[in-house]
Amino acid sequence: MKLTFNPSQCFRVPEALYSIFNNELSKVTVLQEEITGITFNFRDPGYSADDGGYHPVEIRVIKSTSNNGHWGFEYITDFSFQGQPYPELVKEIDVCFITQQVYTLYGGYLEKEDGNELIELLLTNFISYVEMEIFSVKISFD
């Protein structure tokens, strides 16, 4: 299965991210006609509240009913452990393409320009970590 993405989304996404998705999808067999959404979960198996590691990242894409059936991003979320004495995984950075908003745990909602800069940094680092083979990947379809 190979995804074709909508080139005009509210936030810029590097081409390398599209390649990562298509590479991961080439490892699974799915019936394309029935799928309307795909969730990619990238996890560092060694990440923990005590030892740190690379934050888990979840990315969801949805198939457009218009726009020639292209795929588009719904959200990109970076999680981290927070809280004491019982840390929990919480959203540290949440990029919502539907509402066109970027939220950070400690900064709240960001202005569009600041949001764009944060997304660029988040995705540049994320792509580097994928290239370093840090993550195990789980893909869910609906």
Side-chain angles (χ1 to χ4, degrees):
M1 173 176 192
K2 183 173 171 128
L3 303 180
T4 304
F5 284 90
N6 176 2
S8 59
Q9 298 181 76
C10 62
F11 299 111
R12 190 179 98 51
V13 177
E15 289 289 327
L17 190 57
Y18 302 142
S19 297
I20 289 169
F21 292 154
N22 286 320
N23 181 51
E24 290 300 326
L25 286 170
S26 71
K27 301 173 187 176
V28 297
T29 304
V30 294
L31 299 174
Q32 295 181 29
E33 294 79 29
E34 300 174 9
I35 298 170
T36 58
I38 305 171
T39 304
F40 295 85
N41 287 289
F42 295 85
R43 305 280 187 248
D44 170 6
Y47 180 62
S48 71
D50 293 329
D51 298 330
Y54 296 88
H55 291 185
V57 175
E58 181 174 291
I59 303 172
R60 179 165 168 76
V61 296
I62 52 176
K63 189 173 189 178
S64 174
T65 54
S66 58
N67 205 1
N68 297 327
H70 285 143
W71 290 80
F73 287 83
E74 186 172 355
Y75 63 81
I76 300 172
T77 305
D78 174 269
F79 296 89
S80 66
F81 279 110
Q82 300 291 324
Q84 292 294 331
Y86 305 107
E88 295 182 25
L89 275 177
V90 299
K91 294 179 181 181
E92 185 162 319
I93 301 171
D94 190 34
V95 180
C96 181
F97 286 74
I98 305 299
T99 62
Q100 301 184 18
Q101 293 182 313
V102 178
Y103 174 82
T104 66
L105 179 63
Y106 297 109
Y109 289 98
L110 302 178
E111 297 294 327
K112 178 101 168 119
E113 184 177 320
D114 295 330
N116 284 334
E117 290 175 12
L118 181 61
I119 293 167
E120 182 179 346
L121 178 63
L122 171 69
L123 293 178
T124 299
N125 289 339
F126 171 75
I127 291 166
S128 295
Y129 304 151
V130 170
E131 290 171 349
M132 293 167 30
E133 299 179 357
I134 297 296
F135 298 114
S136 62
V137 182
K138 180 182 174 193
I139 303 173
S140 305
F141 301 95
D142 51 82

